[in-house]
Amino acid sequence: EELVMLLAGAATVVIQEAGQERCVHLGVPGDYVLVPRNAWHTARATAATTLLFLTPGAGTEHKPVDV
């Protein structure tokens, strides 16, 4: 699992699970979401935002960005 915590601003974390997207809004500093292991995810923000991502060591992969 990976922990994503909001430190400042606001964001929506989009998690892809079982072929569907789940959106979790983080609106208050200290809000967090646990992203399941092996689930692709991204964060979307419309203003200046600071997020803390805590990811366990080896095996982390990055998905190419769709533009």
Side-chain angles (χ1 to χ4, degrees):
E1 294 181 322
E2 177 177 17
L3 179 118
V4 180
M5 180 181 286
L6 180 69
L7 299 180
T12 299
V13 178
V14 181
I15 304 167
Q16 294 179 2
E17 296 178 287
Q20 297 183 335
E21 286 188 351
R22 176 170 61 108
C23 297
V24 179
H25 182 70
L26 307 177
V28 177
D31 283 354
Y32 68 92
V33 62
L34 288 176
V35 178
R37 180 174 287 175
N38 299 319
W40 290 111
H41 55 285
T42 190
R44 297 181 183 153
T46 57
T49 299
T50 304
L51 294 166
L52 173 67
F53 292 80
L54 297 175
T55 308
T60 299
E61 296 181 33
H62 298 282
K63 183 176 182 180
V65 176
D66 295 328
V67 179

